[in-house]
Amino acid sequence: MKIDDIRKQTAGGASKRSLNQIKNIARHHSATSDGDYNAFWNNRWKGLGWKTGGYHELILRDGSVQLCYDPEVITNGIKGHNTNTYHICVVGNGSFTEAQEATFNERCKLAMKRFNLSADKVLGHKEFKGASTECPGIDMNIVRARLKDTPVKTASMDDGKRYRLFTGTFGTIADAEKAAAKIKKDYGYITYIREE
């Protein structure tokens, strides 16, 4: 995985904490089809009057990472929960690539080890008290099971085998994400988008 360390280039970062204050890791999604730190800073965060961006790490569509802030920096990921939370955002809107999921697992496990946290302390944005959002756009019970290296049990696994469903090819990422979101909403399946 490629890691692009942009910590010296990101805005703000003046509000600090000690690492032992970190009690949770939050998973977010960007609610966009693409983007990076500069896109989110210029098109969202700066306009909200924020001095510091929202996430410590961004996982881009190709699975690469933008390391945005040191963990001691208090970012603006979830109102009322930032002092105690390390924020990781996966770029996408309810559907993510296999490369992104692999990177999230690796980066999250590294953060869990660093902050001495269990998988039960990894929460989706909407699981925090007072949050009203669809973020992170994925079933966090499945994410936590993966982080625990526990097989995810589903009704379709009763024969001990796994079967992959391929749905088709789409002309744009937006069309693919729309179809993936519908499959997730209608059937509860996790979907991955892969560029052909």
Side-chain angles (χ1 to χ4, degrees), residues 104-105 108-109 112 119 122 142-149:
F104 177 83
N105 290 345
C108 192
K109 285 180 179 182
M112 288 164 54
V122 179
I142 294 171
V143 172
R144 284 186 286 271
R146 280 196 323 242
L147 293 170
K148 294 175 186 176
D149 295 321

Side-chain angles (χ1 to χ4, degrees), residues 105 141-143 145-147 149-166 189-190 192:
N105 290 345
N141 290 320
I142 294 171
V143 172
R146 280 196 323 242
L147 293 170
D149 295 321
T150 304
V152 179
K153 296 179 181 175
T154 65
S156 65
M157 290 178 58
D158 58 20
D159 65 0
K161 298 178 183 176
R162 291 184 183 236
Y163 300 92
R164 189 172 301 272
L165 170 68
F166 296 93
Y189 296 141
I190 297 173
Y192 298 98

